[in-house]
Amino acid sequence: IFFPKIRVFNMNKMRGRIYNPPFFNNQLTMKKTLLFLVAGFFFLNNLPAQKPIEQKEIRLVQYMPNVPFPYKMKNWKDIATKQDRLFYDFNAKGQNLPLIWWDDSQVNFPFRTFGLPSYVDKRRLGGNSYESLPTMGSLISASLIGVDKSNDDGKDYVSMIRQFFNKKNGTNLILNGLDRKAGESFWYEIWPAMAYSMLVDLYPQKTEMQEPMKITVDNWYAAIQDLSEGREYPDFNFTAFNFKNRKGYHNKVWREPDAAAGLAWLQYISWIKYGDKKYLNATRQCMAFLQNRPQKEGTFYEIMMPYGAYLAVRMNAELGTTYDELKMLNWCFDGNNSDRDGWGVMCERWNKYDVHGLVGQKKDEQYAFAMNTFSQAAALVPIVKYNPAYAATIGKWMLNLANACRLFYADEHPRNRQSSSIWEGDPQHVICYEGLRKDLYHGNHFEPFQGLLSDEGPYAIGDQVKTMSSATDICLYGSAWVGMLASIVDTTNVECILQLDCNATDFYSTRKYPTYLLFNPYFEAKEVTLNQHFTEPTDLYDLVSQKYIKKNCTGETSIILNPDNAVTIVCIPASAKKTKKHGKLIVDGEIVDYRL
């Protein structure tokens, strides 16, 4: 409006000489120039603030309540702490106690190790035929809440876990037992390797742990290449991988294609740890299988798919890939899977209880499982560090999940709504049942309990008592992983507003700056006090709004949470050097915000 006669100029003519811009041409008066500068100053100072990151919804979560009912949040850190003490008490007295025992069979290495039973049952105590999942899960859980299991009353339980590297039988893999062979089930054979790798990350000083991990990873790397032979990317439409004939194996009953997710995670963290690009290439091969799978053919067999969804978000941030994050996240929730239809996240009310957020079989059996729920929380909470667009949906889901998880525990049910109330060895109720069922009329669960259990659920139960495989359904196999939830979830001064630690289970990542997700489920603003005492001046940067919401905080700090909204707060030392480069916020050399 000020310059109706501004020239069109040729940039090529500017080369090699000083260019006199139109501002200072004789055609323009000083008055017009001044008016332009004043108008420009006014415009720039009244630009709208940078918009917050637009939130994305996981499809199923939008149907969950903002506040579950009835609301009762257990002290998860207290439960995990007491469970650890009970698990590792060699002097515990009572029925089926102690739970732990020494194993001096030295199957794979010349040192003793220890065992824990999968279920509470005296028939399962002792020997060397126990599973690795309860033992490794218990170590991960305790370590995540701050217990040093490499020096627990002078005992190094972490190093002992190397016995699960099956080298004596020539398999050379971390597996779910001391003398196991691979080739029966992908998830049973990959998940132990993932758990072992988590322990390696938690105890980097335990260098003796690294060789079994690397050999295991390399053997799975070779399997990925075999599954890729003659193809652009590997085919995981099998039940397992046969390491003898180097081919995928299908048992003619089910397939476990989410092996791609578990192996992608295993290869990616190996690339981070060892720096060999072959692991990154293998990660990309596995992710290509998931990326190219049609959306309608969801792949979530048991426990590994959430780690593939996590990896899609992380790699998109760190490497600039373009994986379909929402497709993979929705696979983890919807239950519309081509190979195990119904496996996903509950979005229901069972009788008088909200069970939204729990993970398991949501269609035919309506059966949620503890281990799967704890693990999915561990996999997906960290994604908001890499893409804060999921802050509100993850925050809402986790509020429902953390509330409903109490229903895995005996003290949340009357005696006639659980299968193993007879066991009294856990008066504090810190070991949970294997799962939670809506009713007993599917899967032949009703007959063994006819006349004993209430006609109304939900029921704390498992698969063992009904088949007489165990005296109880009290399940170390699942309960051992509760530390994953405990390390993430903290309550605040406002009921129903949780403070979720986004670093706790983000293995093989930068965890330099404390990062917390807080979701306000109310339709009014709330003032929330952070469970963090700052000893040095600290700036609070919110990844969602992409701005500092407080600076130079010391001691106890409160923030205002807007209605039905979430923040992802990174706690940054006020003295740190902060720079913006290539669309990223970098603090003392560490990327804090990938999406500026």
Side-chain angles (χ1 to χ4, degrees), residues 190-191 194 257-269 286 290 303-308 311:
I190 298 172
W191 180 239
M194 294 172 68
D258 58 346
L263 289 179
W265 185 91
L266 202 58
Q267 296 294 314
Y268 192 74
I269 59 100
C286 295
L290 297 174
I303 203 166
M304 295 187 292
M305 188 58 226
Y307 290 87
L311 208 54

Side-chain angles (χ1 to χ4, degrees), residues 88 374 414 487:
Y88 287 84
F374 298 149
S487 65

Side-chain angles (χ1 to χ4, degrees), residues 77 487-488 490-493 498-504 511-518 528-540 550 552-559 569-573:
K77 288 181 173 57
S487 65
I488 293 170
D490 243 331
T491 55
T492 66
N493 62 307
L498 303 179
Q499 180 174 309
L500 305 178
D501 189 334
C502 304
N503 284 337
R511 290 166 283 191
K512 186 174 182 180
Y513 303 115
T515 304
Y516 301 109
L517 168 60
L518 292 95
V528 180
T529 302
L530 296 181
N531 289 316
Q532 182 88 1
H533 186 85
F534 299 111
T535 56
E536 299 292 337
T538 301
D539 297 339
L540 305 183
K550 267 197 173 181
N552 292 305
C553 303
T554 56
E556 190 177 85
T557 301
S558 296
I559 60 172
I569 296 173
V570 186
C571 306
I572 302 170

Side-chain angles (χ1 to χ4, degrees), residues 541-561:
Y541 179 80
D542 175 27
L543 293 173
V544 177
S545 61
Q546 296 191 305
K547 66 181 182 181
Y548 293 94
I549 56 177
K550 267 197 173 181
K551 288 195 172 186
N552 292 305
C553 303
T554 56
E556 190 177 85
T557 301
S558 296
I559 60 172
I560 302 297
L561 286 182

Side-chain angles (χ1 to χ4, degrees), residues 434-451:
E434 181 178 10
L436 184 76
R437 292 185 64 94
K438 181 178 182 180
D439 58 55
L440 300 175
Y441 299 97
H442 296 89
N444 297 320
H445 270 75
F446 184 71
E447 289 182 11
F449 306 109
Q450 199 161 16

Side-chain angles (χ1 to χ4, degrees), residues 197-491:
S197 301
M198 293 172 189
L199 283 169
V200 172
D201 186 42
L202 291 168
Y203 292 92
Q205 75 278 13
K206 305 295 295 178
T207 55
E208 70 273 17
M209 297 279 290
Q210 296 182 22
E211 185 180 20
M213 171 183 165
K214 191 169 189 308
I215 294 173
T216 297
V217 169
D218 284 340
N219 281 330
W220 281 116
Y221 171 85
I224 293 168
Q225 305 317 307
D226 290 330
L227 292 169
S228 303
E229 188 174 353
R231 299 172 50 85
E232 184 181 351
Y233 50 83
D235 181 9
F236 288 100
N237 289 302
F238 300 102
T239 312
F241 180 77
N242 187 318
F243 281 86
K244 285 188 175 180
N245 64 22
R246 312 301 303 179
K247 294 183 182 297
Y249 162 71
H250 182 217
N251 65 3
K252 309 302 181 184
V253 182
W254 73 82
R255 303 175 194 270
E256 302 182 25
D258 58 346
L263 289 179
W265 185 91
L266 202 58
Q267 296 294 314
Y268 192 74
I269 59 100
S270 299
W271 171 61
I272 292 170
K273 182 168 183 60
Y274 302 114
D276 191 332
K277 199 168 182 179
K278 75 174 186 179
Y279 299 126
L280 178 59
N281 292 335
T283 303
R284 294 181 186 275
Q285 288 176 281
C286 295
M287 293 300 290
F289 172 83
L290 297 174
Q291 178 71 6
N292 288 287
R293 193 175 180 91
Q295 182 170 340
K296 63 182 180 180
E297 296 182 21
T299 169
F300 188 15
Y301 177 76
E302 180 73 30
I303 203 166
M304 295 187 292
M305 188 58 226
Y307 290 87
Y310 155 85
L311 208 54
V313 180
R314 180 171 175 179
M315 291 178 72
N316 284 352
E318 291 185 336
L319 304 181
T321 52
T322 56
Y323 296 123
D324 191 338
E325 302 169 354
L326 265 178
K327 177 184 78 172
M328 297 184 201
L329 285 167
N330 283 323
W331 281 350
C332 299
F333 284 76
D334 284 349
N336 299 319
N337 303 306
S338 60
D339 299 287
R340 195 175 188 180
D341 190 40
W343 195 261
V345 172
M346 308 298 163
C347 186
E348 286 191 25
R349 184 171 176 82
W350 289 354
N351 194 15
K352 299 176 182 178
Y353 299 89
D354 281 343
V355 297
H356 304 274
L358 303 181
V359 180
Q361 174 53 254
K362 57 186 290 181
K363 289 186 179 179
D364 296 332
E365 288 191 289
Q366 295 179 295
Y367 194 176
F369 293 93
M371 177 176 66
N372 304 76
T373 302
F374 298 149
S375 172
Q376 185 148 322
L380 296 185
V381 167
I383 70 172
V384 301
K385 291 172 54 179
Y386 305 102
N387 190 348
Y390 300 109
T393 196
I394 293 293
K396 181 179 177 181
W397 166 58
M398 281 298 298
L399 175 60
N400 280 276
L401 177 150
N403 179 67
C405 276
R406 77 187 191 282
L407 297 173
F408 291 128
Y409 291 81
D411 57 339
E412 298 298 328
H413 299 271
R415 294 175 69 89
N416 65 349
R417 234 176 48 212
Q418 52 185 299
S419 64
S420 305
S421 61
I422 190 172
W423 187 55
E424 298 179 349
D426 178 19
Q428 294 180 304
H429 304 293
V430 296
I431 310 177
C432 71
Y433 277 87
E434 181 178 10
L436 184 76
R437 292 185 64 94
K438 181 178 182 180
D439 58 55
L440 300 175
Y441 299 97
H442 296 89
N444 297 320
H445 270 75
F446 184 71
E447 289 182 11
F449 306 109
Q450 199 161 16
L452 298 176
L453 295 186
S454 166
D455 288 336
E456 289 188 345
Y459 302 91
I461 205 164
D463 285 326
Q464 302 300 303
V465 171
K466 75 180 180 71
T467 59
M468 294 183 288
S469 302
S470 170
T472 79
D473 287 322
I474 307 296
C475 181
L476 284 74
Y477 174 90
S479 187
W481 304 86
V482 70
M484 287 182 154
L485 182 66
S487 65
I488 293 170
V489 175
D490 243 331
T491 55

Side-chain angles (χ1 to χ4, degrees), residues 101 103 107-109 111 113-116 128-139 157-169 171-180 189 192-193 196 199 209 212 216:
W101 67 89
D103 173 11
V107 174
N108 292 300
F109 291 91
F111 51 77
T113 187
F114 67 99
L116 289 169
N128 63 7
S129 61
Y130 49 91
E131 295 183 271
S132 71
L133 294 184
T135 54
M136 286 201 284
S138 70
L139 292 178
Y157 294 107
V158 175
S159 189
M160 294 177 195
I161 218 72
R162 286 178 291 160
Q163 288 286 4
F164 290 111
F165 177 63
N166 285 240
K167 68 174 185 176
K168 184 177 181 180
N169 63 18
T171 304
N172 291 320
L173 294 170
I174 302 289
L175 292 172
N176 194 32
L178 301 174
D179 186 15
R180 295 287 181 93
E189 294 154 8
Y196 185 94
L199 283 169
M209 297 279 290
T216 297

